[in-house]
Amino acid sequence: MINLVIFGPPGAGKGTQSEKLIQKYGFVHISTGDLFRWHTKNDTPLGKRVKEIMNSGALVPDDITIAMLKEELDKNPQAKGFLFDGFPRTVAQAEALDRFMKENNTAIHYVVALDVSEKEVRDRIAKRRTIENRADDEEDKLNKRITEYFTKTIHVLPYYEKAGRLNTVNGIGPIDEIFARITSVIK
Ligand code: ADP
């Protein structure tokens, strides 16, 4: 069993690389962003609780996020390996994840951090925005998401670095080249 966390700011290419990783390794993909979007779209009690928070671009509180993640793990007892995408985003989430892995006699083996600077992600998103011509209010939300990453989520990196699990991969370049950099980390 291999469990991997893919890490990086909004616009780093986590989604694109996750799809390729799933194809190659057969991971069960757990994206907390996708899960929250599913809940809000289906107007579940959880969706109702997080809708406003998500719309603001802020992080959902840890207790809610961790409980949802745990439920998702419990739904997949047969998984050969998990790919965590968008989780953990805080040190408390990273600690909870380690605890859950330990309870199942496994661990997070690799953390792949896509290294893309704040300036680069802002440029990429601005470019995407002119193509997709999105609404103005979306821009505040996006700014907030990028700021949340560079002020809060980035602190998860030293947590994994201390444990010797952090693999920083240059996130700039052609998709296949970045993918090759990622797979060279996985033994
Ligand atoms: P992005 O495209 O910015 O990486 P995601 O699709 O992963 O965003 O997540 C969308 C939103 O869902 C976040 O802005 C946040 O409100 C919420 N969210 C997702 N994952 C987490 C998490 N691990 N902790 C807290 N909030 C989260």
Side-chain angles (χ1 to χ4, degrees), residues 46-110:
L46 174 62
K48 286 191 176 78
R49 283 179 77 190
V50 303
K51 194 171 183 173
E52 293 280 298
I53 303 168
M54 280 184 78
N55 276 339
S56 74
L59 293 183
V60 174
D62 282 337
D63 55 342
I64 299 178
T65 308
I66 291 168
M68 180 181 73
L69 189 275
K70 175 76 167 84
E71 203 175 288
E72 214 47 37
L73 287 176
D74 292 344
K75 274 188 208 159
N76 291 283
Q78 309 300 337
K80 290 201 194 78
F82 289 101
L83 170 62
F84 297 97
D85 169 0
F87 186 97
R89 268 173 149 97
T90 63
V91 173
Q93 291 180 15
E95 287 168 347
L97 184 58
D98 274 343
R99 214 163 47 236
F100 297 150
M101 293 291 105
K102 210 167 175 188
E103 281 166 14
N104 288 309
N105 299 310
T106 186
I108 294 297
H109 302 94
Y110 302 101

